[in-house]
Amino acid sequence: NRVTQGLPFVPNAYINALIYGAAARASALNPGIILCAFGFLQNHYHFIIYIDSDEMEMARWLHNLDDELAKIVKKLLGRSNGNIWAQRAHVAILGHFPAAIKEFGYCFLNPVEANFCERAKDWIGPNSYRFFFSQKPEQYKWVRTKNLHRLLNKEFTKRDVNRFYNRWTN
């Protein structure tokens, strides 16, 4: 899915954790969905999911994810209304293994193709590539948007990002 304007998903520890938390929340609300792979760039995302139930659960999962991400973006930008998403998510059914492998490659290599990094493992935005090679499980916390604050219209230092991140992770 793609946003209507701007780059609300600029990767840093704070934004990444909010995105991971929103995806974890959508998955917790829809246990029939198995998240296989994902990748976020600054203005759009890709997900590969396995449906272990009916297609309506996929629609609910996508709605939960898009709704939560829209709330986060609106809160951080101080917007009270307006569409965040340019359109509904594009859904493709991958009926066979070669198609799935091709989409995994596309999902992981999207930042490389966009010249944001040289290798998929170097992308600092939210993605599942690193989970495939990690030995330790990670858990992410869903943050209610009422606990978020509007971001100031300035460039953030690494210290600012860490302060935002530590405010609700500790």
Side-chain angles (χ1 to χ4, degrees):
N1 208 350
R2 183 173 301 279
V3 297
T4 58
Q5 62 183 10
L7 302 170
F9 307 124
V10 174
N12 62 50
Y14 182 59
I15 299 298
N16 291 2
L18 293 174
I19 291 170
Y20 285 131
R25 170 82 170 157
S27 294
L29 292 172
N30 301 279
I33 297 294
I34 299 170
L35 183 54
C36 300
F38 64 91
F40 271 79
L41 268 68
Q42 288 88 329
N43 67 346
H44 73 282
Y45 68 77
H46 300 276
F47 275 90
I48 299 173
I49 59 175
Y50 174 78
I51 305 168
D52 195 27
S53 58
D54 61 33
E55 289 183 20
M56 286 305 296
E57 186 146 16
M58 179 189 66
R60 286 189 298 273
W61 184 86
L62 282 169
H63 172 76
N64 288 334
L65 177 68
D66 281 352
D67 187 53
E68 194 60 36
L69 290 171
K71 287 179 193 175
I72 290 169
V73 169
K74 286 179 181 181
K75 184 71 174 212
L76 294 179
L77 298 180
R79 292 174 54 181
S80 59
N81 57 19
N83 289 336
I84 296 298
W85 302 111
Q87 75 276 324
R88 289 184 173 199
H90 296 284
V91 176
I93 297 173
L94 308 175
H96 58 289
F97 188 71
I101 293 300
K102 180 181 174 189
E103 293 304 318
F104 269 80
Y106 182 81
C107 186
F108 294 145
L109 293 174
N110 199 228
V112 176
E113 295 289 325
N115 293 315
F116 292 128
C117 58
E118 288 189 27
R119 300 173 299 183
K121 71 178 189 174
D122 298 333
W123 177 236
I124 61 170
N127 69 81
S128 58
Y129 183 86
R130 63 191 182 91
F131 296 122
F132 284 95
F133 303 101
S134 175
Q135 298 299 315
K136 63 177 188 165
E138 295 186 33
Q139 293 186 351
Y140 291 92
K141 180 177 162 183
W142 170 60
V143 178
R144 295 180 186 274
T145 52
K146 71 178 185 175
N147 296 332
L148 299 177
H149 300 283
R150 180 180 179 180
L151 297 177
L152 302 173
N153 191 11
K154 68 171 194 144
E155 187 172 326
F156 291 106
T157 65
K158 190 170 187 172
R159 184 176 175 205
D160 291 332
V161 169
N162 288 334
R163 189 171 39 88
F164 286 131
Y165 178 76
N166 289 330
R167 180 180 295 158
W168 57 264
T169 56
N170 293 330

